[in-house]
Amino acid sequence: ESEQAAFHLEATLVKKYQPFYNVRLKDDKHYPYLKIDIEEPWPRVYITRQVKQDGARYFGPYASAKSVRTTLDLVKKLFPWRSCTKTITGNDARPCLDYYIKRCIAPCTSFCTIEEYRDVINQVILFLEGRTEAVVQNLKSEMNHSAEKFNFEKAALLRDQIKAVERVTESQVTATTESTDIDVF
C-alpha cells in the first residue's frame, strides 16, 4: 500500500526467514521512529524502535538512525518542546539552558501553561505530518494576536519561527520521473 508498509513487510520477512545474503535486517533492531506520547500531560518527542498500541503518535519509519536524528534536530530547532526527562511540577527555581537558547518554553518553571505547550506539540505533529501550510498559518495568526496585545517580543520570536519553517519547506524538492525541464537550487 505504501513505502512504510513495504519497510515493515521487508523487515518482518527478513527476520522470519533469515536469508543468507541479506545481512542488513537480520539483527533484532527495527526501523527508528519519532514518538510523541500525547497521553502525557507534558509530551516529549523522542526516538524509538518499537511501535506499540499505546495511544502515542509515531512518525516513520526512517531508513537510518542518522536520518531520524537529523529530523529530530530540525524539529527541535523549529519548535520549543521540552527534551528533558524529569517530572514537570512547575516549581523549579529556574529553567534549564534550553529555555535561554529558545529551544524550550520552560514548563518546569511554569513559564508556560499546559495549553501553550500543547500548541507547540500540535505544531510539531502538523510539521511531521507534512502539513507545513497549516503550521505557518497557525504561527501567523498567533503572531498577529501577540502583536495586537503589544507582546512584540513573542511576535518577533514567532516571526523568526515562521521564516525558519518556510526556509526548511522551500529547500525540499520533490522527485519526479517525468521528463521535464526544471531548475533546482
Side-chain angles (χ1 to χ4, degrees):
E1 296 176 9
S2 67
E3 187 177 359
Q4 183 176 7
F7 279 141
H8 282 293
L9 180 62
E10 178 188 11
T12 304
L13 292 175
V14 168
K15 286 177 188 354
K16 182 177 180 182
Y17 294 112
Q18 297 286 315
F20 185 74
Y21 291 106
N22 190 333
V23 293
R24 274 194 77 207
L25 298 172
K26 277 189 177 180
D27 60 3
D28 60 347
K29 288 185 180 177
H30 297 280
Y31 284 108
Y33 291 84
L34 285 178
K35 178 180 179 180
I36 303 175
D37 191 358
I38 54 177
E39 301 292 321
E40 291 182 15
W42 305 96
R44 295 182 310 119
V45 182
Y46 56 94
I47 300 170
T48 185
R49 288 189 179 265
Q50 295 193 354
V51 178
K52 300 176 183 173
Q53 299 295 329
D54 56 359
R57 296 289 309 267
Y58 292 90
F59 299 93
Y62 289 85
S64 67
K66 182 180 178 188
S67 63
V68 75
R69 279 192 213 99
T70 302
T71 304
L72 187 65
D73 289 342
L74 174 66
V75 171
K76 185 65 177 156
K77 287 176 185 172
L78 293 175
F79 304 101
W81 47 270
R82 75 182 189 100
S83 56
C84 62
T85 58
K86 67 182 182 181
T87 305
I88 302 297
T89 61
N91 298 328
D92 289 3
R94 59 189 177 116
C96 63
L97 179 63
D98 279 348
Y99 173 77
Y100 294 107
I101 60 173
K102 311 289 188 247
R103 297 229 176 144
C104 182
I105 55 175
C108 55
T109 55
S110 295
F111 284 5
C112 70
T113 64
I114 195 161
E115 291 83 18
E116 291 171 330
Y117 189 79
R118 284 284 175 180
D119 287 342
V120 170
I121 292 298
N122 289 335
Q123 297 292 334
V124 172
I125 291 171
L126 286 173
F127 183 79
L128 290 173
E129 287 176 344
R131 297 169 44 198
T132 54
E133 300 86 19
V135 172
V136 170
Q137 284 178 342
N138 290 343
L139 290 173
K140 282 183 179 179
S141 68
E142 192 176 337
M143 178 185 70
N144 292 334
H145 183 70
S146 295
E148 288 171 1
K149 287 188 167 189
F150 301 108
N151 190 350
F152 298 117
E153 292 84 8
K154 184 175 180 182
L157 288 173
L158 291 167
R159 178 203 60 213
D160 296 342
Q161 192 175 2
I162 291 167
K163 287 181 181 178
V165 169
E166 289 173 342
R167 243 188 337 266
V168 166
T169 55
E170 75 183 16
S171 66
Q172 296 174 353
V173 177
T174 51
T176 179
T177 57
E178 297 176 21
S179 177
T180 183
D181 186 19
I182 61 171
D183 295 326
V184 179
F185 297 96

